Amino acid sequence: MFDKTEVKEINRAVLVGLNAPNLRREENADDESLEELAALLDTAGGACLGMILQNKSAPDPRTFIGEGKTEEVRELVERLGADIVIFDNPLSPSQQRVLTGELGVAVMDRSALILDIFAKRARTSEGRLQVALAQYKYLLPRLTGMWKHLERQEGAIGTRGPGETQMETDRRLIHRKIDKLEEDLKDVRRVRATQRERREKNEVPVVAIVGYTNAGKSTLLNALTGSDIPANDRLFDTLDTTTRMLEISDTCTVLISDTVGFISKLPHQLVDAFKATLEELTFADLLLHVIDASDPHWREQAEVVDQLIQELGAAETPRLEVFNKCDKFVGDILPHGEDMVSISAKTGVGIDTLLSAIEKRLDAGVRRVELRLPYDKGGILDQLYREAKVEQVEYGETIQVTAVCTPKTLGQMGDYLVEK
């Protein structure tokens, strides 16, 4: 517990969760999810003063946790001097409205907290567009609560009509903003599609780094490419996608990018809004699923990521499971298998093995070769530009070409190969 005098100028929160057998798994709360909620609160710049986990057969329709537990939370809020209560479970707009009145402080749920973190962390214009869209979609069904002061005057002359008019005005305004943001994000998708066509034309493979938040994705990108992306030990430290060129070998160069971290109970508004970014996963040639091997709950976290990858339509994309933070692994044997690599992005252990694994999956049978083409076979040079990576062309008695070719293209060039 925090002493009230220790925390100033930041939100002081009591965290509440409900565990009920009739709730879906992703809607339920337990000790681990409350600890994760406390880490999210810390990321948002708040402080956890206390936690309450309620076990109940079913949620209360009005207060979600029941009248008795609501009173217990209110007493704890008063005793600790909290100014906000955050629920680990999703709350309906009416439950949030009732609880705010009963507890006497602001009430929000996990989704609202994650949205707040994203709003603070988004740096690029694209990221801000996506977060704003998610926030407006979250806000829309909660507008009624903002006009509660008019509900108390129901029936009074001159109140009901204007109240409804103002609420409808707000709804129309938000719908217009949502439409505008969705149109702007369509433009983002069009730009991304053009960039993808360019990459495909140049035949540059794309590797996407995915994983649970704080698994070490940015640290891995730094280790692979020598970048200096900020990589701190906190949830959702990096939101905006970063892409770098990575030369794995003489015959294998790729574009590698990190993506926004996933988390259990990720608000569906965010998943929808970030599809402009996350759809890149479906076009990647290889996914690196980074897993925090030092976290005792890594299996559950990996399952969350797998489910979201499937939801985004990238289940068929080839994948390597990269078990990071192996230097902090507690146990006898690290996870191992054909499509698994254990590394420490921080210390560099296993990075060479990972590079070899990436090359094996992307560079099978690719060779750098020299060809001599007669001038009347200029069409073959056009084919090489389309299907291979042409590095050098010299015009002499023949057209001398140095190119990196796939086995399929090599099979068609046998008459022109210069054997070494």
Short mmCIF file of all heavy atoms in Angstrom, two decimals, residues 200-205 247-254 359 362-371 380-393 400-411 413 417:
data_model
loop_
_atom_site.label_atom_id
_atom_site.label_comp_id
_atom_site.label_asym_id
_atom_site.label_seq_id
_atom_site.Cartn_x
_atom_site.Cartn_y
_atom_site.Cartn_z
N GLU A 200 7.11 -5.63 -53.60
CA GLU A 200 6.93 -6.89 -54.32
C GLU A 200 7.62 -6.84 -55.68
O GLU A 200 8.19 -7.83 -56.14
CB GLU A 200 5.44 -7.19 -54.47
CG GLU A 200 4.78 -7.59 -53.15
CD GLU A 200 3.27 -7.58 -53.22
OE1 GLU A 200 2.74 -7.25 -54.30
OE2 GLU A 200 2.63 -7.89 -52.21
N LYS A 201 7.56 -5.66 -56.32
CA LYS A 201 8.23 -5.50 -57.61
C LYS A 201 9.74 -5.65 -57.46
O LYS A 201 10.42 -6.23 -58.30
CB LYS A 201 7.89 -4.12 -58.20
CG LYS A 201 8.41 -3.90 -59.60
CD LYS A 201 7.95 -2.56 -60.14
CE LYS A 201 8.47 -2.36 -61.55
NZ LYS A 201 8.05 -1.05 -62.10
N ASN A 202 10.25 -5.11 -56.35
CA ASN A 202 11.69 -5.22 -56.10
C ASN A 202 12.06 -6.53 -55.42
O ASN A 202 13.22 -6.79 -55.15
CB ASN A 202 12.16 -4.05 -55.22
CG ASN A 202 12.03 -2.72 -55.91
OD1 ASN A 202 12.08 -2.65 -57.14
ND2 ASN A 202 11.84 -1.66 -55.15
N GLU A 203 11.03 -7.33 -55.09
CA GLU A 203 11.21 -8.63 -54.46
C GLU A 203 12.03 -8.55 -53.18
O GLU A 203 12.96 -9.32 -52.95
CB GLU A 203 11.84 -9.62 -55.45
CG GLU A 203 10.94 -9.91 -56.64
CD GLU A 203 11.22 -11.25 -57.28
OE1 GLU A 203 12.30 -11.81 -57.04
OE2 GLU A 203 10.36 -11.72 -58.04
N VAL A 204 11.68 -7.60 -52.33
CA VAL A 204 12.32 -7.50 -51.03
C VAL A 204 11.41 -8.20 -50.01
O VAL A 204 10.29 -7.75 -49.79
CB VAL A 204 12.53 -6.02 -50.61
CG1 VAL A 204 13.21 -5.94 -49.25
CG2 VAL A 204 13.34 -5.29 -51.66
N PRO A 205 11.88 -9.30 -49.41
CA PRO A 205 11.04 -9.99 -48.42
C PRO A 205 10.77 -9.10 -47.21
O PRO A 205 11.59 -8.26 -46.84
CB PRO A 205 11.87 -11.21 -48.02
CG PRO A 205 12.92 -11.34 -49.09
CD PRO A 205 13.17 -9.97 -49.60
N GLU A 247 20.43 -6.63 -43.80
CA GLU A 247 21.19 -7.52 -44.69
C GLU A 247 21.62 -8.73 -43.90
O GLU A 247 22.50 -8.65 -43.04
CB GLU A 247 22.40 -6.80 -45.28
CG GLU A 247 23.11 -7.62 -46.33
CD GLU A 247 24.20 -6.86 -47.07
OE1 GLU A 247 24.08 -5.62 -47.19
OE2 GLU A 247 25.17 -7.51 -47.51
N ILE A 248 20.97 -9.85 -44.18
CA ILE A 248 21.25 -11.07 -43.43
C ILE A 248 22.48 -11.78 -43.99
O ILE A 248 23.30 -12.33 -43.26
CB ILE A 248 20.02 -12.00 -43.46
CG1 ILE A 248 18.87 -11.32 -42.70
CG2 ILE A 248 20.33 -13.35 -42.85
CD1 ILE A 248 17.60 -12.10 -42.72
N SER A 249 22.61 -11.77 -45.31
CA SER A 249 23.77 -12.38 -45.96
C SER A 249 23.95 -11.73 -47.32
O SER A 249 23.20 -10.82 -47.69
CB SER A 249 23.55 -13.90 -46.12
OG SER A 249 22.52 -14.14 -47.07
N ASP A 250 24.93 -12.21 -48.08
CA ASP A 250 25.18 -11.65 -49.41
C ASP A 250 23.98 -11.81 -50.33
O ASP A 250 23.79 -11.03 -51.27
CB ASP A 250 26.39 -12.33 -50.05
CG ASP A 250 27.69 -11.88 -49.40
OD1 ASP A 250 27.66 -10.88 -48.66
OD2 ASP A 250 28.71 -12.55 -49.61
N THR A 251 23.18 -12.83 -50.08
CA THR A 251 22.07 -13.11 -50.99
C THR A 251 20.70 -12.87 -50.36
O THR A 251 19.68 -13.16 -50.97
CB THR A 251 22.13 -14.58 -51.46
OG1 THR A 251 22.08 -15.45 -50.32
CG2 THR A 251 23.40 -14.83 -52.24
N CYS A 252 20.67 -12.35 -49.14
CA CYS A 252 19.38 -12.17 -48.46
C CYS A 252 19.32 -10.83 -47.74
O CYS A 252 20.00 -10.64 -46.72
CB CYS A 252 19.14 -13.31 -47.47
SG CYS A 252 17.51 -13.26 -46.68
N THR A 253 18.54 -9.92 -48.29
CA THR A 253 18.27 -8.63 -47.64
C THR A 253 16.76 -8.53 -47.44
O THR A 253 15.99 -8.84 -48.35
CB THR A 253 18.76 -7.47 -48.52
OG1 THR A 253 20.18 -7.59 -48.69
CG2 THR A 253 18.47 -6.13 -47.85
N VAL A 254 16.35 -8.09 -46.26
CA VAL A 254 14.92 -8.03 -45.95
C VAL A 254 14.56 -6.68 -45.36
O VAL A 254 15.43 -5.93 -44.89
CB VAL A 254 14.51 -9.14 -44.95
CG1 VAL A 254 14.88 -10.52 -45.47
CG2 VAL A 254 15.12 -8.90 -43.57
N GLU A 359 17.22 -16.68 -42.62
CA GLU A 359 17.76 -16.91 -43.96
C GLU A 359 17.31 -18.26 -44.51
O GLU A 359 16.96 -18.38 -45.70
CB GLU A 359 19.29 -16.85 -43.93
CG GLU A 359 19.91 -17.01 -45.31
CD GLU A 359 21.42 -16.88 -45.29
OE1 GLU A 359 22.02 -16.97 -44.19
OE2 GLU A 359 22.01 -16.67 -46.37
N LEU A 362 13.78 -17.84 -45.83
CA LEU A 362 13.54 -16.87 -46.90
C LEU A 362 14.48 -17.02 -48.09
O LEU A 362 14.19 -16.52 -49.17
CB LEU A 362 13.70 -15.45 -46.34
CG LEU A 362 12.70 -15.00 -45.28
CD1 LEU A 362 13.01 -13.58 -44.84
CD2 LEU A 362 11.27 -15.09 -45.80
N ASP A 363 15.58 -17.70 -47.89
CA ASP A 363 16.65 -17.66 -48.88
C ASP A 363 16.98 -19.03 -49.44
O ASP A 363 18.08 -19.26 -49.93
CB ASP A 363 17.90 -17.06 -48.22
CG ASP A 363 18.85 -16.46 -49.25
OD1 ASP A 363 18.39 -16.14 -50.34
OD2 ASP A 363 20.04 -16.30 -48.94
N ALA A 364 16.05 -19.97 -49.35
CA ALA A 364 16.34 -21.34 -49.77
C ALA A 364 16.66 -21.39 -51.27
O ALA A 364 15.83 -21.05 -52.10
CB ALA A 364 15.14 -22.24 -49.47
N GLY A 365 17.87 -21.83 -51.58
CA GLY A 365 18.26 -22.03 -52.97
C GLY A 365 18.63 -20.77 -53.74
O GLY A 365 18.93 -20.83 -54.93
N VAL A 366 18.63 -19.62 -53.09
CA VAL A 366 18.96 -18.37 -53.77
C VAL A 366 20.47 -18.28 -53.96
O VAL A 366 21.24 -18.58 -53.05
CB VAL A 366 18.44 -17.15 -52.95
CG1 VAL A 366 18.91 -15.86 -53.58
CG2 VAL A 366 16.92 -17.18 -52.88
N ARG A 367 20.89 -17.85 -55.16
CA ARG A 367 22.33 -17.76 -55.45
C ARG A 367 22.65 -16.47 -56.19
O ARG A 367 21.82 -15.97 -56.96
CB ARG A 367 22.77 -18.94 -56.34
CG ARG A 367 22.90 -20.27 -55.63
CD ARG A 367 23.20 -21.37 -56.63
NE ARG A 367 24.33 -21.05 -57.49
CZ ARG A 367 24.57 -21.62 -58.66
NH1 ARG A 367 23.72 -22.51 -59.14
NH2 ARG A 367 25.63 -21.29 -59.37
N ARG A 368 23.87 -15.95 -55.94
CA ARG A 368 24.39 -14.83 -56.75
C ARG A 368 25.15 -15.44 -57.91
O ARG A 368 26.04 -16.27 -57.71
CB ARG A 368 25.29 -13.93 -55.90
CG ARG A 368 25.94 -12.83 -56.75
CD ARG A 368 26.86 -11.93 -55.95
NE ARG A 368 26.11 -10.97 -55.16
CZ ARG A 368 25.93 -11.05 -53.85
NH1 ARG A 368 26.46 -12.07 -53.18
NH2 ARG A 368 25.23 -10.15 -53.19
N VAL A 369 24.80 -15.03 -59.13
CA VAL A 369 25.42 -15.62 -60.32
C VAL A 369 25.81 -14.53 -61.31
O VAL A 369 25.33 -13.40 -61.21
CB VAL A 369 24.47 -16.63 -61.01
CG1 VAL A 369 24.21 -17.83 -60.13
CG2 VAL A 369 23.15 -15.94 -61.39
N GLU A 370 26.68 -14.91 -62.24
CA GLU A 370 27.01 -14.03 -63.36
C GLU A 370 26.48 -14.66 -64.65
O GLU A 370 26.58 -15.88 -64.85
CB GLU A 370 28.52 -13.83 -63.44
CG GLU A 370 29.07 -12.98 -62.32
CD GLU A 370 30.53 -12.61 -62.53
OE1 GLU A 370 31.04 -12.85 -63.66
OE2 GLU A 370 31.15 -12.11 -61.59
N LEU A 371 25.94 -13.81 -65.51
CA LEU A 371 25.38 -14.30 -66.77
C LEU A 371 25.93 -13.46 -67.92
O LEU A 371 26.22 -12.28 -67.75
CB LEU A 371 23.84 -14.21 -66.77
CG LEU A 371 23.12 -14.92 -65.62
CD1 LEU A 371 22.62 -13.91 -64.60
CD2 LEU A 371 21.94 -15.74 -66.16
N ILE A 380 15.62 -11.24 -71.91
CA ILE A 380 15.96 -11.99 -70.69
C ILE A 380 16.39 -11.03 -69.58
O ILE A 380 16.11 -11.26 -68.41
CB ILE A 380 17.07 -13.02 -71.01
CG1 ILE A 380 16.54 -14.08 -71.96
CG2 ILE A 380 17.61 -13.65 -69.73
CD1 ILE A 380 17.56 -15.11 -72.39
N LEU A 381 17.06 -9.92 -69.98
CA LEU A 381 17.45 -8.92 -68.99
C LEU A 381 16.20 -8.31 -68.34
O LEU A 381 16.16 -8.10 -67.12
CB LEU A 381 18.30 -7.83 -69.64
CG LEU A 381 18.82 -6.72 -68.71
CD1 LEU A 381 19.66 -7.31 -67.57
CD2 LEU A 381 19.63 -5.70 -69.48
N ASP A 382 15.18 -8.07 -69.15
CA ASP A 382 13.92 -7.57 -68.59
C ASP A 382 13.33 -8.57 -67.60
O ASP A 382 12.82 -8.19 -66.54
CB ASP A 382 12.89 -7.31 -69.71
CG ASP A 382 13.30 -6.15 -70.60
OD1 ASP A 382 14.06 -5.28 -70.12
OD2 ASP A 382 12.86 -6.12 -71.77
N GLN A 383 13.43 -9.85 -67.93
CA GLN A 383 12.93 -10.89 -67.03
C GLN A 383 13.71 -10.89 -65.71
O GLN A 383 13.12 -11.03 -64.63
CB GLN A 383 13.04 -12.27 -67.70
CG GLN A 383 12.55 -13.41 -66.80
CD GLN A 383 12.80 -14.78 -67.42
OE1 GLN A 383 13.21 -14.89 -68.58
NE2 GLN A 383 12.57 -15.83 -66.64
N LEU A 384 15.01 -10.71 -65.80
CA LEU A 384 15.84 -10.68 -64.59
C LEU A 384 15.46 -9.50 -63.70
O LEU A 384 15.41 -9.62 -62.47
CB LEU A 384 17.33 -10.60 -64.96
CG LEU A 384 17.94 -11.89 -65.52
CD1 LEU A 384 19.34 -11.62 -66.07
CD2 LEU A 384 17.99 -12.96 -64.44
N TYR A 385 15.19 -8.35 -64.32
CA TYR A 385 14.77 -7.19 -63.51
C TYR A 385 13.44 -7.47 -62.81
O TYR A 385 13.20 -6.97 -61.71
CB TYR A 385 14.65 -5.95 -64.40
CG TYR A 385 15.95 -5.20 -64.58
CD1 TYR A 385 16.56 -5.12 -65.83
CD2 TYR A 385 16.55 -4.56 -63.49
CE1 TYR A 385 17.75 -4.43 -65.99
CE2 TYR A 385 17.74 -3.86 -63.66
CZ TYR A 385 18.34 -3.80 -64.90
OH TYR A 385 19.52 -3.10 -65.05
N ARG A 386 12.59 -8.27 -63.46
CA ARG A 386 11.29 -8.58 -62.85
C ARG A 386 11.41 -9.65 -61.76
O ARG A 386 10.76 -9.57 -60.73
CB ARG A 386 10.30 -9.07 -63.91
CG ARG A 386 9.80 -8.01 -64.86
CD ARG A 386 8.58 -8.53 -65.64
NE ARG A 386 8.80 -9.83 -66.24
CZ ARG A 386 9.31 -10.02 -67.46
NH1 ARG A 386 9.67 -8.98 -68.19
NH2 ARG A 386 9.47 -11.24 -67.94
N GLU A 387 12.24 -10.65 -61.98
CA GLU A 387 12.21 -11.85 -61.13
C GLU A 387 13.43 -12.02 -60.24
O GLU A 387 13.43 -12.89 -59.36
CB GLU A 387 12.06 -13.09 -62.02
CG GLU A 387 10.80 -13.10 -62.86
CD GLU A 387 10.71 -14.30 -63.76
OE1 GLU A 387 11.62 -15.18 -63.68
OE2 GLU A 387 9.74 -14.39 -64.56
N ALA A 388 14.46 -11.22 -60.44
CA ALA A 388 15.68 -11.39 -59.66
C ALA A 388 16.13 -10.04 -59.11
O ALA A 388 15.50 -9.00 -59.36
CB ALA A 388 16.79 -12.00 -60.53
N LYS A 389 17.21 -10.07 -58.36
CA LYS A 389 17.80 -8.84 -57.84
C LYS A 389 19.04 -8.54 -58.67
O LYS A 389 20.10 -9.14 -58.47
CB LYS A 389 18.16 -9.01 -56.36
CG LYS A 389 18.76 -7.78 -55.71
CD LYS A 389 19.13 -8.07 -54.26
CE LYS A 389 19.84 -6.89 -53.63
NZ LYS A 389 20.26 -7.20 -52.23
N VAL A 390 18.91 -7.64 -59.62
CA VAL A 390 20.02 -7.31 -60.53
C VAL A 390 20.95 -6.33 -59.83
O VAL A 390 20.53 -5.24 -59.42
CB VAL A 390 19.49 -6.72 -61.85
CG1 VAL A 390 20.65 -6.31 -62.74
CG2 VAL A 390 18.59 -7.73 -62.56
N GLU A 391 22.21 -6.72 -59.67
CA GLU A 391 23.16 -5.89 -58.95
C GLU A 391 24.08 -5.09 -59.86
O GLU A 391 24.50 -3.99 -59.53
CB GLU A 391 24.01 -6.76 -58.02
CG GLU A 391 23.21 -7.44 -56.91
CD GLU A 391 24.09 -8.25 -55.98
OE1 GLU A 391 25.21 -8.62 -56.40
OE2 GLU A 391 23.65 -8.51 -54.84
N GLN A 392 24.38 -5.65 -61.03
CA GLN A 392 25.32 -4.95 -61.92
C GLN A 392 25.08 -5.39 -63.36
O GLN A 392 24.82 -6.57 -63.64
CB GLN A 392 26.78 -5.26 -61.51
CG GLN A 392 27.81 -4.46 -62.27
CD GLN A 392 29.22 -4.71 -61.73
OE1 GLN A 392 29.40 -5.42 -60.75
NE2 GLN A 392 30.21 -4.13 -62.38
N VAL A 393 25.17 -4.43 -64.29
CA VAL A 393 25.05 -4.72 -65.72
C VAL A 393 26.18 -3.99 -66.45
O VAL A 393 26.36 -2.78 -66.27
CB VAL A 393 23.69 -4.26 -66.29
CG1 VAL A 393 23.60 -4.56 -67.78
CG2 VAL A 393 22.53 -4.94 -65.55
N GLN A 400 26.89 -8.42 -69.65
CA GLN A 400 27.31 -9.18 -68.47
C GLN A 400 26.48 -8.71 -67.26
O GLN A 400 26.48 -7.53 -66.94
CB GLN A 400 28.79 -8.97 -68.21
CG GLN A 400 29.67 -9.47 -69.36
CD GLN A 400 31.15 -9.30 -69.08
OE1 GLN A 400 31.63 -9.72 -68.03
NE2 GLN A 400 31.86 -8.67 -70.00
N VAL A 401 25.82 -9.66 -66.65
CA VAL A 401 24.88 -9.35 -65.56
C VAL A 401 25.29 -10.10 -64.30
O VAL A 401 25.59 -11.30 -64.35
CB VAL A 401 23.43 -9.75 -65.94
CG1 VAL A 401 22.46 -9.36 -64.83
CG2 VAL A 401 23.04 -9.10 -67.27
N THR A 402 25.30 -9.38 -63.17
CA THR A 402 25.42 -10.02 -61.86
C THR A 402 24.08 -9.88 -61.16
O THR A 402 23.55 -8.77 -61.02
CB THR A 402 26.51 -9.35 -60.99
OG1 THR A 402 27.75 -9.38 -61.70
CG2 THR A 402 26.66 -10.06 -59.65
N ALA A 403 23.50 -11.03 -60.76
CA ALA A 403 22.16 -11.00 -60.18
C ALA A 403 22.01 -12.08 -59.12
O ALA A 403 22.69 -13.12 -59.15
CB ALA A 403 21.10 -11.19 -61.27
N VAL A 404 21.12 -11.82 -58.18
CA VAL A 404 20.75 -12.81 -57.17
C VAL A 404 19.44 -13.43 -57.61
O VAL A 404 18.42 -12.74 -57.74
CB VAL A 404 20.60 -12.16 -55.77
CG1 VAL A 404 20.16 -13.19 -54.74
CG2 VAL A 404 21.90 -11.49 -55.35
N CYS A 405 19.45 -14.75 -57.86
CA CYS A 405 18.31 -15.42 -58.48
C CYS A 405 17.75 -16.53 -57.61
O CYS A 405 18.48 -17.21 -56.88
CB CYS A 405 18.73 -16.04 -59.83
SG CYS A 405 19.37 -14.86 -61.02
N THR A 406 16.45 -16.73 -57.73
CA THR A 406 15.79 -17.86 -57.07
C THR A 406 16.02 -19.11 -57.92
O THR A 406 16.37 -19.02 -59.10
CB THR A 406 14.28 -17.60 -56.95
OG1 THR A 406 13.73 -17.49 -58.27
CG2 THR A 406 14.00 -16.33 -56.15
N PRO A 407 15.81 -20.30 -57.34
CA PRO A 407 16.00 -21.53 -58.11
C PRO A 407 15.16 -21.57 -59.39
O PRO A 407 15.61 -22.05 -60.42
CB PRO A 407 15.55 -22.63 -57.13
CG PRO A 407 15.81 -22.05 -55.78
CD PRO A 407 15.52 -20.59 -55.92
N LYS A 408 13.92 -21.02 -59.32
CA LYS A 408 13.05 -21.03 -60.50
C LYS A 408 13.67 -20.24 -61.64
O LYS A 408 13.70 -20.70 -62.80
CB LYS A 408 11.68 -20.44 -60.12
CG LYS A 408 10.71 -20.38 -61.28
CD LYS A 408 9.40 -19.73 -60.86
CE LYS A 408 8.47 -19.57 -62.06
NZ LYS A 408 7.20 -18.91 -61.69
N THR A 409 14.17 -19.04 -61.32
CA THR A 409 14.78 -18.20 -62.36
C THR A 409 16.08 -18.83 -62.86
O THR A 409 16.37 -18.83 -64.07
CB THR A 409 15.04 -16.79 -61.82
OG1 THR A 409 13.82 -16.25 -61.30
CG2 THR A 409 15.56 -15.87 -62.92
N LEU A 410 16.87 -19.38 -61.93
CA LEU A 410 18.14 -20.02 -62.32
C LEU A 410 17.91 -21.14 -63.33
O LEU A 410 18.69 -21.33 -64.28
CB LEU A 410 18.84 -20.59 -61.09
CG LEU A 410 19.68 -19.63 -60.26
CD1 LEU A 410 20.21 -20.33 -59.01
CD2 LEU A 410 20.83 -19.08 -61.08
N GLY A 411 16.81 -21.88 -63.12
CA GLY A 411 16.53 -23.01 -64.01
C GLY A 411 16.29 -22.58 -65.45
O GLY A 411 16.46 -23.38 -66.38
N MET A 413 17.96 -20.00 -66.82
CA MET A 413 19.13 -19.23 -67.27
C MET A 413 20.35 -20.11 -67.56
O MET A 413 21.45 -19.61 -67.73
CB MET A 413 19.51 -18.19 -66.20
CG MET A 413 18.41 -17.21 -65.86
SD MET A 413 18.08 -16.10 -67.25
CE MET A 413 16.41 -15.58 -66.88
N LEU A 417 24.69 -18.95 -67.94
CA LEU A 417 25.43 -18.88 -66.68
C LEU A 417 26.92 -18.94 -66.91
O LEU A 417 27.41 -19.69 -67.76
CB LEU A 417 25.02 -20.05 -65.76
CG LEU A 417 23.68 -19.92 -65.02
CD1 LEU A 417 23.37 -21.22 -64.28
CD2 LEU A 417 23.73 -18.77 -64.02
#
